[in-house]
């Protein structure tokens, strides 16, 4: 729950990786918001959460590129 709150807050307030003025965010900044929030995780879950963040953003990229195997990411 803490990670969700951190990502949400940083989406609006983080100086380096937040959304732009139109409310859009690129996948690189989204990935960095996820990994930044993971820094507060316990060491035993840190790597797993970073891998999940990478896989999630990679899945969104695949979906945006038209790969139908990943279309559930955006539905």
């Amino acid at each position: 729950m803490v990670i969700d709150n951190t990502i949400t807050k940083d989406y609006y307030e983080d100086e380096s990786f937040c959304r732009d003025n139109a409310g859009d965010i690129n996948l690189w900044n989204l990935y960095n918001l996820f990994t930044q929030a993971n820094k507060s995780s316990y060491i035993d879950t840190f790597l797993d959460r970073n891998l999940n963040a990478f896989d999630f953003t990679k899945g969104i990229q695949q979906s945006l590129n038209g790969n139908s195997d990943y279309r559930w990411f955006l539905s």
Side-chain angles (χ1 to χ4, degrees):
M1 185 63 83
V2 172
I3 290 176
D4 296 339
N5 293 338
T6 302
I7 292 169
T8 303
K9 181 177 86 51
D10 288 348
Y11 171 77
Y12 291 99
E13 298 176 0
D14 185 272
E15 293 181 16
S16 301
F17 304 117
C18 69
R19 65 189 175 101
D20 63 16
N21 291 335
D24 299 329
I25 189 168
N26 63 41
L27 291 178
W28 177 248
N29 286 349
L30 179 67
Y31 172 72
N32 280 303
L33 286 178
F34 288 159
T35 56
Q36 180 174 323
N38 288 340
K39 291 178 184 176
S40 63
S41 299
Y42 290 109
I43 192 70
D44 61 338
T45 61
F46 180 78
L47 292 176
D48 289 335
R49 289 182 180 200
N50 279 340
L51 178 61
N52 289 340
F54 176 75
D55 288 341
F56 182 74
T57 52
K58 188 172 86 176
I60 292 175
Q61 177 195 24
Q62 292 291 327
S63 180
L64 290 172
N65 287 335
N67 187 336
S68 62
D69 293 337
Y70 291 90
R71 68 176 156 226
W72 64 271
F73 273 82
L74 300 179
S75 60

